[in-house]
Amino acid sequence: MGTTYVQSNWTIRVSLPIYVMAIQSVMGWIVFLIFAGMGLLTSPVDWLQQFLGRPKSVITKSEYMSRARIIAQRAKQILSMAAIMRRGDRDRRWRSNLSKLQREIALLEEDEYALEQVFPQGEDGNARWVLFVLGFWMLLVMSVVGLGLSCLWIAQIAVYMLPPNPVYPLLNTLFVKLDSAFPLFGTLAFSIFCLYLMVVAMKGNFMLGLNFLVIKLYPMRPGATMMSSFLVNTAVILIMAPAILQFCAQAFAVYANGSTIYQVFGAQVMYIKGLSVLYGHNVFLYLMLAFVALSVFFLLFRGKQMWKRRDPMAAYSMIS
């Protein structure tokens, strides 16, 4: 006689911490799918463009003084504009102009930092120039490696996460084979793919703030990061963390099977009433891929113009 299987659904209560984690995960997904979607492919391209546009040599003192005067003039223009805005009404137009002004301040600070690098001064000037050049070559390495990681992530989503019946485990198989060679290799590869998601998400955050003015920009620079920027970007990382954990638990379900994090997200959070519809129909994944496609659209049809800086005076053109 053949065996008959009967499918049934049963309901259990989840603990309060699990439910709170599920709500946090949904909130994190909203932020993560936008930032990671925009940064997944544009981050390697942006790193490559920074490398291609790197300074090839130091500048002379006269060139340094000339560029310094231009930066000083831009700083005075920004100060004048800020003084005008203090007297204006804080309506929608004012907030839009404030975002543009903040963008110009961020670009001015970047130019000032770059100018100091191409004209190193002091006893350690040569050493700082060497480190500056090595930093651009590191960007090239990050661009090549990042492009490979981004393509692997998109392939993992396409062949394993989206189909009702996964086509191929892909990265899961890679991690298992690395673990069989040496246990630390699989864990290290798993960590690299997870941390890369956080990196491209934060890169997408900066790109959206700098190029599209849809969010407030909180730049971070070595030795020149404001406390407000540090706190805001830390908060963004903490908000996205549960979503990234769930995303990795879902993407690497074969490798993470039996782990505590998979039991939390894969067996409980994804099946909570009211939220299971979002995960069952892969709503977040499709939205994330939509933002990836949007970023590709801008890269293909606008090219370098997407990242081209506007005329500094354009920030003030809408203000009378």
Side-chain angles (χ1 to χ4, degrees):
M1 296 179 61
T3 304
T4 302
Y5 295 94
V6 179
Q7 182 178 0
S8 61
N9 297 324
W10 51 290
T11 303
I12 61 173
R13 289 183 176 272
V14 298
S15 62
L16 179 60
I18 297 297
Y19 189 78
V20 172
M21 191 177 298
I23 300 301
Q24 289 179 333
S25 181
V26 172
M27 296 172 58
W29 263 110
I30 297 174
V31 179
F32 173 67
L33 68 88
I34 297 175
F35 291 163
M38 292 300 299
L40 194 59
L41 289 179
T42 55
S43 295
V45 174
D46 185 68
W47 292 328
L48 179 60
Q49 289 185 349
Q50 289 183 51
F51 171 77
L52 295 177
R54 72 192 188 281
K56 304 299 190 300
S57 62
V58 297
I59 61 176
T60 63
K61 186 175 182 179
S62 59
E63 290 176 322
Y64 173 80
M65 297 299 295
S66 176
R67 297 185 188 184
R69 281 194 294 269
I70 295 175
I71 290 179
Q73 292 174 359
R74 289 169 56 190
K76 290 180 180 179
Q77 294 169 354
I78 291 175
L79 285 175
S80 300
M81 198 62 255
I84 295 175
M85 292 189 63
R86 290 195 191 100
R87 300 190 296 267
D89 296 331
R90 301 196 174 189
D91 51 8
R92 180 180 299 178
R93 183 182 180 185
W94 185 91
R95 290 190 293 270
S96 175
N97 290 326
L98 178 61
S99 298
K100 296 177 181 179
L101 188 64
Q102 290 174 334
R103 180 183 187 272
E104 294 304 323
I105 293 174
L107 293 176
L108 181 66
E109 291 176 346
E110 287 185 2
D111 291 343
E112 190 273 337
Y113 176 75
L115 181 60
E116 293 296 329
Q117 296 300 319
V118 296
F119 188 73
Q121 305 178 56
E123 296 180 356
D124 60 342
N126 292 332
R128 287 190 287 112
W129 169 252
V130 171
L131 293 176
F132 183 63
V133 173
L134 290 177
F136 281 102
W137 284 98
M138 182 60 67
L139 287 176
L140 176 62
V141 175
M142 291 172 58
S143 174
V144 175
V145 174
L147 183 61
L149 293 176
S150 296
C151 292
L152 286 173
W153 263 121
I154 294 175
Q156 181 73 11
I157 295 173
V159 304
Y160 183 76
M161 301 179 70
L162 288 180
N165 297 315
V167 178
Y168 186 68
L170 199 59
L171 293 177
N172 290 277
T173 304
L174 173 64
F175 296 156
V176 171
K177 290 183 178 180
L178 288 175
D179 263 347
S180 62
F182 186 75
L184 184 61
F185 290 165
T187 304
L188 180 61
F190 180 90
S191 302
I192 290 174
F193 276 89
C194 295
L195 290 176
Y196 180 72
L197 288 177
M198 186 68 73
V199 171
V200 297
M202 293 308 298
K203 186 69 174 178
N205 175 20
F206 297 146
M207 286 183 176
L208 284 174
L210 189 62
N211 293 285
F212 297 98
L213 304 177
V214 295
I215 59 174
K216 191 173 181 179
L217 182 63
Y218 291 93
M220 297 182 68
R221 301 180 189 86
T225 301
M226 301 294 291
M227 182 58 67
S228 59
S229 297
F230 183 80
L231 293 176
V232 169
N233 287 292
T234 301
V236 171
I237 292 175
L238 293 176
I239 290 173
M240 293 189 298
I244 293 177
L245 285 174
Q246 181 178 355
F247 182 77
C248 292
Q250 182 181 355
F252 307 136
V254 175
Y255 182 74
N257 187 28
S259 63
T260 302
I261 201 68
Y262 181 76
Q263 295 301 322
V264 171
F265 287 103
Q268 298 185 63
V269 170
M270 294 183 63
Y271 297 99
I272 291 179
K273 287 185 177 180
L275 302 179
S276 59
V277 176
L278 298 174
Y279 301 121
H281 292 84
N282 294 318
V283 174
F284 292 130
L285 293 180
Y286 283 114
L287 288 175
M288 181 178 175
L289 291 178
F291 277 97
V292 172
L294 181 63
S295 67
V296 172
F297 172 81
F298 280 103
L299 286 175
L300 292 177
F301 291 94
R302 298 186 61 184
K304 294 183 178 180
Q305 294 298 320
M306 178 180 180
W307 318 115
K308 184 179 180 180
R309 296 183 178 184
R310 295 178 294 106
D311 183 353
M313 293 304 297
Y316 320 125
S317 59
M318 295 180 61
I319 307 176
S320 57

